[in-house]
Amino acid sequence: DAGITQSPRHKVTETGTPVTLRCHQTENHRYMYWYRQDPGHGLRLIHYSYGVKDTDKGEVSDGYSVSRSKTEDFLLTLESATSSQTSVYFCAISKKAGMNTEAFFGQGTRLTVV
Amino acid sequence: GIQVEQSPPDLILQEGANSTLRCNFSDSVNNLQWFHQNPWGQLINLFYIPSGTKQNGRLSATTVATERYSLLYISSSQTTDSGVYFCAGYYKLSFGAGTTVTVRA
């Protein structure tokens, strides 16, 4: 295992409530990513971080915010959950972005918004 | 934006058969990886292969970055090879939609 822990692993929440997912790494890698996986779409990037307090948007960032106050933790927040955000969320880490880097994934968080 | 296309979308194999999965990219690719998602949803790293050929047991992969494609070969398939295979590449790891492989005993 690449030392990545996602929590919670499963969550059911109601529409309109805030939800925070946590990704914790023990590898001291600089880059962290949040993806969502939906049938027929593969994995799509939500947000990523290239260092403490340095984050940027991915292709499906609407409705999501992130924070990274320390190297090991990357939080994904749904400010007001909607049914369209029902998905499986994966966190990934890599030593660096761009050339010559390999990414490793956490075990995923299954989120259901009812 | 970057497009990553995988083919075929679905593949059914008899145990012991060989197969080839393909990944095409819309631009010259770097940082290419292959993953296997098992039936429990876990993403397992198979290959980090920005160029050239690598082999790991019954699996091997080849990437020709300048021609914008990568191939994953499965030889002597086993039921444990079932699942979804993803390729991903580029700066922020753009993923293809995956190839669902079912190996029948």
Side-chain angles (χ1 to χ4, degrees), chain A residues 1 31 33 35 37 40-43 45 48 57-58 90 97-107, chain B residues 30-31 33 35 37 40-43 45-48 50 84 86 90-98:
Chain A
D1 290 342
Y31 289 82
Y33 311 80
Y35 290 83
Q37 183 178 23
H41 288 279
L43 277 77
L45 182 65
Y48 67 102
K57 296 179 180 180
F90 285 95
M99 297 291 290
N100 301 321
T101 187
E102 184 173 3
F104 297 89
F105 282 79
Q107 293 184 303
Chain B
N30 59 34
N31 212 30
Q33 291 187 237
F35 299 89
Q37 188 168 40
W40 296 271
Q42 186 180 5
L43 281 163
N45 288 39
L46 295 178
F47 295 101
Y48 173 72
V84 184
F86 291 104
Y90 302 109
Y91 172 68
K92 288 179 280 188
L93 270 188
S94 297
F95 276 75

Side-chain angles (χ1 to χ4, degrees), chain B residues 22-25 29 32 62-71:
Chain B
R22 187 177 179 101
C23 188
N24 288 332
F25 296 86
V29 65
L32 192 141
T62 295
T63 296
V64 184
T66 54
E67 296 187 20
R68 301 175 293 170
Y69 74 89
S70 183
L71 304 173

Side-chain angles (χ1 to χ4, degrees), chain B residues 26-81:
Chain B
S26 59
D27 200 353
S28 182
V29 65
N30 59 34
N31 212 30
L32 192 141
Q33 291 187 237
W34 283 95
F35 299 89
H36 176 217
Q37 188 168 40
N38 63 24
W40 296 271
Q42 186 180 5
L43 281 163
I44 299 166
N45 288 39
L46 295 178
F47 295 101
Y48 173 72
I49 185 165
S51 64
T53 297
K54 290 186 177 180
Q55 182 157 4
N56 184 2
R58 296 179 296 100
L59 301 180
S60 63
T62 295
T63 296
V64 184
T66 54
E67 296 187 20
R68 301 175 293 170
Y69 74 89
S70 183
L71 304 173
L72 179 69
Y73 306 95
I74 305 174
S75 64
S76 303
S77 58
Q78 301 178 357
T79 56
T80 53
D81 294 330

Side-chain angles (χ1 to χ4, degrees), chain A residues 39-82:
Chain A
H41 288 279
L43 277 77
R44 293 180 292 174
L45 182 65
I46 305 171
H47 281 281
Y48 67 102
S49 170
Y50 44 95
V52 173
K53 297 186 180 179
D54 291 325
T55 65
D56 204 352
K57 296 179 180 180
E59 62 177 307
V60 290
S61 60
D62 288 348
Y64 302 95
S65 63
V66 290
S67 66
R68 192 167 179 201
S69 59
K70 46 188 177 177
T71 299
E72 58 266 36
D73 288 328
F74 192 31
L75 304 180
L76 177 70
T77 297
L78 291 65
E79 300 292 346
S80 178
T82 66

